[in-house]
Amino acid sequence: TIVRLLDASQNADVRRAAISALIHVPTGHADSFELLAPFITDKVYRVVAIRTMLKIPSEFRSNEKSSRLVDSLVDRAEQTPAAERTTDEFVDAMQLADQLMAKLPVEAARTYRNRLREITVRVVRIHTVEEEMRYDTPYFAVEAGRPVQIVLVNEDLMPHNLVITANDALKE
């Protein structure tokens, strides 16, 4: 039924809902990945398709399709005006591109990362782990002198603290 709505619906809201619903189908993540790929290039559905793809586990993402999507996402990033490069939509797209690069050969991934390095602000998203006093990202590093934006997502009921230090300064 969901796939039929993706293919046949002329209503954008219905199609967006169908795209979002794909992640809740317990089987068929690989098929969902393939179905969502064409929506990445469609400005009407791009945001919802990217957000849904981010929820698909890596093992269900095909290498071939990942390569094409990275190419499309990096090209799109280079065309995005600088003022829009810290929006949630852009950050989501870059997070997906980064995850998909893991499926590429090392040299190809390095080339894409170098292209993105020139235009993006490094954004680190840190999510709380539900009902635990910890984060999904225990540590990260950034290059000295490069801009970074930290986004803390606390979907838990507990308040959390976040400490940011220089290398080897935590004890102090």
Side-chain angles (χ1 to χ4, degrees):
T1 304
I2 294 172
V3 173
R4 214 170 36 246
L5 289 173
L6 282 176
D7 293 335
S9 179
Q10 298 301 315
N11 182 309
D13 291 333
V14 170
R15 192 174 266 177
R16 273 192 213 83
I19 289 169
S20 293
L22 276 176
I23 195 61
H24 300 290
V25 177
T27 59
H29 288 309
D31 292 335
S32 294
F33 183 77
E34 296 293 322
L35 286 169
L36 290 171
F39 291 103
I40 296 295
T41 58
D42 187 329
K43 69 178 184 178
V44 175
Y45 304 107
R46 181 181 300 121
V47 172
V48 68
I50 287 170
R51 289 182 176 158
T52 302
M53 284 184 130
L54 281 168
K55 297 174 185 173
I56 295 175
S58 177
E59 63 267 20
F60 298 107
R61 299 172 179 175
S62 74
N63 292 358
E64 181 184 328
K65 192 69 74 174
S66 292
S67 178
R68 285 196 299 247
L69 288 173
V70 167
D71 192 55
S72 174
L73 290 166
V74 171
D75 286 346
R76 179 85 183 123
E78 290 172 332
Q79 296 168 17
T80 302
E84 296 174 21
R85 292 182 185 159
T86 57
T87 63
D88 288 342
E89 293 81 11
F90 186 84
V91 171
D92 288 341
M94 294 305 93
Q95 183 178 3
L96 180 61
D98 187 58
Q99 290 177 8
L100 294 175
M101 281 185 225
K103 297 282 192 177
L104 304 180
V106 174
E107 282 305 313
R110 182 175 293 131
T111 300
Y112 284 119
R113 287 187 201 287
N114 287 338
R115 285 172 60 189
L116 287 176
R117 187 172 186 270
E118 297 301 316
I119 61 164
T120 59
V121 172
R122 169 91 190 275
V123 177
V124 179
R125 277 200 179 145
I126 302 174
H127 293 263
T128 57
V129 176
E130 189 174 348
E131 297 189 23
E132 294 184 29
M133 288 299 291
R134 67 183 185 92
Y135 300 106
D136 66 343
T137 306
Y139 63 90
F140 64 93
V142 294
E143 184 179 337
R146 299 276 305 169
V148 64
Q149 178 179 349
I150 300 170
V151 178
L152 176 61
V153 181
N154 185 1
E155 297 166 338
D156 199 358
L157 295 176
M158 279 188 245
H160 286 67
N161 295 316
L162 178 67
V163 177
I164 300 169
T165 70
N167 195 27
D168 295 325
L170 182 60
K171 188 173 182 179
E172 181 182 317

